């Protein structure tokens, strides 16, 4: 349903969701509830709109900044959170290699889970569409010719819904191999290694598959995944889904903006497509709004390009992409008051870790190294990644997105921020003893406009902490203040940073083998 009725869905975030541990996203979970506590609202990933990802060729050349048309236009790279992973375009033209005379000596990677099957709500929408198509008597031409014979691609929905898909398996394994080889010498052959995740099935599984790619055949014995249960009282503001401990968190999914844009861009598409149909089927704007979602999901699930990818023109796909941007910008991004600030504790904790260095001791490390080591990797969800990128400072000079027109020069593009397996990288760069911070989104460098004096447009690490991040805190207030919690209720360090990277004794943290 939600797929078919995006606007209604947006307005109604209180639909009950599944069971079990919910991904963070939804509205505020009052108190760190029992495990299970959840999120109201929408399915984790995303948005009212379904978001999918698709298969991609990781080795492809960097894509040029969004430009419509062109033979090499790939719709799978413009589906917002529904895009399968792809390397981010090098928007600023800054090389990813370490700047001359410098070395990356520590890095923290925080990623969304990999490509997955749809959540139950989205899948019900597929079934409804299928039903309606089956009931109608029609023929279709051109890119819609497949429609009368279309079948949903899940073969075991009971077991597959909401879980990682084969496209996700590939993204994660490849990711592990990539990081193992990206930083030669960081991993000592045959030694133990830990990975963090939010405590939700697909994020835990993402960490497990990453570890297998990173560690190879002995991953099950060498690796340990540490899921953190974000709704547990021991981790208030101290998890990978801090919105779960923030009662004032309320993701309205861009209501008032995304729906306005829907009413502008969708009707002409529905009208164009209806001209390709003969019979008793008439597609409404709602009906066509999720065709790109199906393009993304079907392509990564089957690893064959879905016929839905050819239904929208490139220009129409870019309009769909912008719709996702409005959903995230105003739902949990720069235009959402302090809903993006809930991830400030994570940024603070990462900066603390980079300042204390790779030899930082880890408490309670019974099954792994007793220091953090140079590489830290963690898995969470689309909204958490969006909150994170929105609070880093990289979008500070972006004008607010408008509901009635699309700015094609914008830098904030959800496809490049939180696609499936979307990744934020914090690299510590050492240039003859001077330490700098460099931020990357899906491997593309994004400078902080107010702090880019370092080599390769990086920011001196202390300046990032003392000016950029301190400025964010000053504007937002403490986690308790913007979440309306009693002062002192967070379990972060005194500076507001998460501690789970260095304290495994918190009751919310468990251990799982890859
Ligand atoms: C199209 O959307 C309308 C609501 O706008 C809904 O009633 C109808 O069932 C949908 N049809 C298909 C084929 O999904
Ligand atoms: C399709 O037709 C069947 C049988 O006539 C009916 O039970 C079902 O409700 C119809 N589905 C939709 C979505 O219209
Ligand atoms: C993997 O484990 C086997 C059996 O314990 C051991 O012989 C082998 O050296 C290990 N390989 C690595 C890469 O650690
Ligand atoms: C989140 O946004 C809603 C409005 O959409 C607002 O009422 C709420 O206060 C925001 N929460 C925070 C923590 O800023
Ligand atoms: C960490 O482990 C090493 C050996 O594995 C040991 O020498 C060192 O004392 C330990 N450090 C702490 C803080 O426990
Ligand atoms: C479009 O985006 C660019 C890049 O952020 C910005 O410089 C420009 O002011 C924006 N234009 C409008 C009309 O918002
Ligand atoms: C930075 O690198 C230099 C060598 O160029 C090394 O001597 C120094 O210890 C490093 N600094 C830190 C904080 O790691």
């Amino acid at each position: 349903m939600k797929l078919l009725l995006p606007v209604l869905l947006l307005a109604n975030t209180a639909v009950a969701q599944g069971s079990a541990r919910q991904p963070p996203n939804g509205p505020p979970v009052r108190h760190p509830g029992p495990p299970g506590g959840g999120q109201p609202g929408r399915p984790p990933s995303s948005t009212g709109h379904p978001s999918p990802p698709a298969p991609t060729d990781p080795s492809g050349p960097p894509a040029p900044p969004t430009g419509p048309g062109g033979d090499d236009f790939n719709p799978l790279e413009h589906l917002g959170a529904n895009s399968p992973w792809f390397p981010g375009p090098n928007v600023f033209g800054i090389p990813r290699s370490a700047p001359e005379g410098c070395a990356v000596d520590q890095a923290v990677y925080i990623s969304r889970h990999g490509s997955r099957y749809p959540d139950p709500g989205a899948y019900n929408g597929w079934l409804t569409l299928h039903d309606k198509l089956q009931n109608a008597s029609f023929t279709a031409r051109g890119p819609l010719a497949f429609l009368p014979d279309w079948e949903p691609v899940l073969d075991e929905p009971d077991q597959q819904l909401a879980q990682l898909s084969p496209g996700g398996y590939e993204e994660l394994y490849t990711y592990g191999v990539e990081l193992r080889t990206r930083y030669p010498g960081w991993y000592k052959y045959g030694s133990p290694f830990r990975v963090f995740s939010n405590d939700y099935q697909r994020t835990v599984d993402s960490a497990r598959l990453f570890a297998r790619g990173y560690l190879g055949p002995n991953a099950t014995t060498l690796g340990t995944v540490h899921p953190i249960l974000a709704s547990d009282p021991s981790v208030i503001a101290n998890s990978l889904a801090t919105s779960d401990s923030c009662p004032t968190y309320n993701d309205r999914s861009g209501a008032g903006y995304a729906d306005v844009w829907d009413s502008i861009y969708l009707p002409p598409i529905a009208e164009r497509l209806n001209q390709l149909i003969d019979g008793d089927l008439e597609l409404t704007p709602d009906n066509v709004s999720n065709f790109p979602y199906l393009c993304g999901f079907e392509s990564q699930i089957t690893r064959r390009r879905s016929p839905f990818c050819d239904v929208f023109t490139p220009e129409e796909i870019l309009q769909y992409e912008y719709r996702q941007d409005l959903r995230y910008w105003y739902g949990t991004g720069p235009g959402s008051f302090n809903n993006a600030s809930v991830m400030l504790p994570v940024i603070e904790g990462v900066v603390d870790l980079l300042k204390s260095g790779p030899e930082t001791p880890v408490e309670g490390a019974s099954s792994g190294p007793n220091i953090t080591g140079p590489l830290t990797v963690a898995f969470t969800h689309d909204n958490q990644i969006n909150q994170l990128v929105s609070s880093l400072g990289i979008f500070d000079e972006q004008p607010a997105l408008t509901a009635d027109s699309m700015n094609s020069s914008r830098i904030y593009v959800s496809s490049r921020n939180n696609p499936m397996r979307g990744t934020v990288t914090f690299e510590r760069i050492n240039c003859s003893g001077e330490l700098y911070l460099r931020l990357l989104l899906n491997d593309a460098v994004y400078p902080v406009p107010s702090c880019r004096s370092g080599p390769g447009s990086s920011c001196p690490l202390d300046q990032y902490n003392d000016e950029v991040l301190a400025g964010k805190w000053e504007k937002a207030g403490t986690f308790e203040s913007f979440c309306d919690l009693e002062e002192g209720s967070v379990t972060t360090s005194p500076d507001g940073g998460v501690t789970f990277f260095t304290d495994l004794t918190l009751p919310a943290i468990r251990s799982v083998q890859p």
Side-chain angles (χ1 to χ4, degrees):
M1 244 333 61
K2 54 186 47 176
L3 288 187
L4 300 177
L5 303 170
V7 175
L8 290 184
L9 284 182
L10 293 181
N12 177 10
T13 34
V15 176
Q17 223 31 236
S19 38
R21 296 180 171 183
Q22 291 286 346
N25 259 342
V29 170
R30 300 277 122 168
H31 266 284
Q39 290 352 87
R42 24 217 61 223
S45 88
S46 3
T47 50
H49 257 230
S51 3
T56 355
D57 173 6
S59 56
T66 332
D71 284 346
D72 52 2
F73 180 84
N74 184 354
L76 296 171
E77 298 183 356
H78 299 281
L79 303 177
N82 304 315
S83 280
W85 191 77
F86 65 100
N90 188 357
V91 180
F92 294 93
I94 302 168
R96 197 190 75 196
S97 51
E100 178 96 22
C102 307
V104 177
D105 67 2
Q106 190 178 358
V108 179
Y109 280 74
I110 302 183
S111 296
R112 183 186 182 196
H113 56 75
S115 280
R116 59 168 174 85
Y117 292 105
D119 281 313
Y123 184 62
N124 284 336
W126 298 16
L127 296 182
T128 306
L129 176 64
H130 181 248
D131 224 24
K132 296 268 179 183
L133 296 174
Q134 291 300 304
N135 280 6
S137 158
F138 72 101
T139 57
R141 293 184 301 279
L144 285 183
F146 73 98
L147 213 50
D149 301 320
W150 172 71
E151 299 283 340
V153 298
L154 273 60
D155 52 2
E156 297 281 354
D158 288 353
Q159 298 174 64
Q160 293 165 332
L161 290 179
Q163 306 303 324
L164 294 178
S165 67
Y169 308 161
E170 179 184 49
E171 289 167 352
L172 293 156
Y173 196 88
T174 303
Y175 182 22
V177 174
E178 173 63 28
L179 292 201
R180 174 76 178 262
T181 52
R182 182 174 291 183
Y183 302 108
W186 281 15
Y187 176 72
K188 188 171 169 307
Y189 193 86
S191 63
F193 184 74
R194 77 174 67 85
V195 186
F196 297 89
S197 78
N198 185 50
D199 199 343
Y200 194 71
Q201 191 70 51
R202 63 195 181 214
T203 40
V204 174
D205 287 344
S206 292
R208 294 173 62 220
L209 294 179
F210 168 86
R212 292 182 196 177
Y214 190 79
L215 298 167
N218 288 357
T220 304
T221 46
L222 295 176
T224 306
V225 171
H226 289 293
I228 302 156
L229 184 60
S231 58
D232 189 277
S234 69
V235 290
I236 295 178
N238 195 2
S239 70
L240 286 160
T242 46
S243 58
D244 278 8
S245 59
C246 180
T248 58
Y249 178 78
N250 180 13
D251 173 9
R252 297 187 63 234
S253 303
Y257 298 90
D259 44 325
V260 170
W261 180 244
D262 281 347
S263 72
I264 294 170
Y265 93 96
L266 289 171
I269 300 175
E271 194 181 327
R272 180 179 71 78
L273 295 178
N274 280 322
Q275 288 165 10
L276 302 173
I277 295 171
D278 292 309
D280 67 357
L281 176 71
E282 167 139 2
L283 297 172
T284 65
D286 281 349
N287 298 156
V288 305
S289 67
N290 291 298
F291 285 5
Y293 176 93
L294 282 155
C295 156
F297 271 81
E298 289 193 345
S299 296
Q300 47 90 354
I301 290 168
T302 63
R303 298 194 72 254
R304 281 189 306 277
R305 184 183 166 101
S306 158
F308 280 104
C309 297
D310 297 315
V311 175
F312 279 31
T313 64
E315 187 60 49
E316 290 165 353
I317 288 282
L318 295 178
Q319 293 170 344
Y320 171 86
E321 178 178 53
Y322 188 61
R323 196 267 179 222
Q324 312 308 311
D325 298 351
L326 290 169
R327 178 264 172 275
Y328 282 106
W329 177 281
Y330 291 104
T332 56
S336 70
F337 307 97
N338 281 321
N339 285 292
S341 308
V342 296
M343 282 298 265
L344 285 176
V346 172
I347 301 174
E348 186 70 64
V350 168
V351 170
D352 290 347
L353 190 55
L354 296 180
K355 287 175 68 180
S356 57
E359 308 285 322
T360 304
V362 174
E363 266 184 75
S366 53
S367 60
N370 58 12
I371 55 170
T372 58
L375 179 64
T376 300
V377 178
F379 290 89
T380 183
H381 301 264
D382 62 334
N383 273 311
Q384 284 60 40
I385 295 296
N386 185 49
Q387 294 150 9
L388 194 55
V389 302
S390 300
S391 299
L392 288 172
I394 57 179
F395 298 127
D396 283 357
E397 290 182 3
Q398 297 305 298
L401 303 187
T402 52
D404 58 358
S405 64
M406 178 168 98
N407 179 353
S408 12
S409 314
R410 72 195 183 282
I411 303 302
Y412 177 95
V413 181
S414 56
S415 309
R416 303 171 190 165
N417 298 347
N418 55 350
M420 300 290 179
R421 214 228 81 184
T423 298
V424 180
T425 303
F426 301 77
E427 277 184 338
R428 187 175 95 160
I429 304 182
N430 179 345
C431 309
S432 326
E434 297 294 320
L435 299 179
Y436 299 89
L437 173 67
R438 195 165 66 161
L439 301 167
L440 301 92
L441 303 188
N442 298 305
D443 298 343
V445 178
Y446 280 67
V448 176
S450 63
C451 184
R452 52 181 305 177
S453 62
S457 295
S458 61
C459 177
L461 183 58
D462 284 334
Q463 190 182 344
Y464 186 84
N465 184 64
D466 301 345
E467 295 177 18
V468 181
L469 189 50
K472 295 281 173 195
W473 280 118
E474 197 177 334
K475 217 164 146 206
T478 61
F479 191 89
E480 289 102 324
S481 67
F482 58 74
C483 290
D484 200 15
L485 292 166
E486 211 171 301
E487 215 46 47
S489 53
V490 298
T491 68
T492 58
S493 62
D495 67 6
V498 297
T499 62
F500 63 80
F501 290 126
T502 55
D503 182 3
L504 302 175
T505 66
L506 296 163
I509 305 180
R510 59 191 182 102
S511 302
V512 170
Q513 297 315 120

